[in-house]
Amino acid sequence: MHRLFAISLLFCGTAFADDHSSPDALIRLVHQDCGSCHGLTLKGGLGPDIRPDALSHYDVETLSEVVLDGIQGTAMPPWRPLMSEAEAKKIAEYLLQGELK
């Protein structure tokens, strides 16, 4: 688990180097960093499908917490050390709606 987390941190370097608070940067972050495990089209890979229909059982707050804290016992790492709660909320909104408003 720790090895997978370390590898996932290597992937996040380029996306977090940018100002990731802009909508374009957050979308790029989702497709590059989340896509490294969930598939570049977000249809699933190492991790499950994270498109809106697959996540419809989540609300924004719960999904934000999953992004920030990961899921214990799975390969989903916590991103809290690398992003703010506001950024995680924007990512959750994007994942649930398929767009950023």
Side-chain angles (χ1 to χ4, degrees):
M1 173 77 168
H2 294 291
R3 184 179 211 180
L4 181 60
F5 180 66
I7 291 169
S8 68
L9 290 178
L10 292 174
F11 285 108
C12 72
T14 56
F16 281 97
D18 296 331
D19 172 20
H20 51 281
S21 60
S22 76
D24 289 340
L26 282 172
I27 291 169
R28 193 169 46 253
L29 172 94
V30 168
H31 286 274
Q32 288 178 356
D33 293 320
C34 301
S36 67
C37 289
H38 294 279
L40 295 178
T41 59
L42 309 180
K43 293 179 182 178
L46 172 65
D49 185 336
I50 57 170
R51 294 174 295 164
D53 287 345
L55 297 175
S56 63
H57 60 283
Y58 283 106
D59 59 34
V60 170
E61 295 305 318
T62 302
L63 189 55
S64 296
E65 291 298 316
V66 169
V67 170
L68 288 169
D69 298 325
I71 300 175
Q72 189 173 8
T74 73
M76 177 64 189
W79 292 92
R80 188 177 295 275
L82 302 169
M83 71 175 59
S84 70
E85 290 183 12
E87 291 161 338
K89 183 177 179 183
K90 283 291 190 188
I91 288 170
E93 290 170 352
Y94 173 67
L95 290 173
L96 291 170
Q97 299 168 6
E99 63 183 357
L100 282 177
K101 294 182 178 182

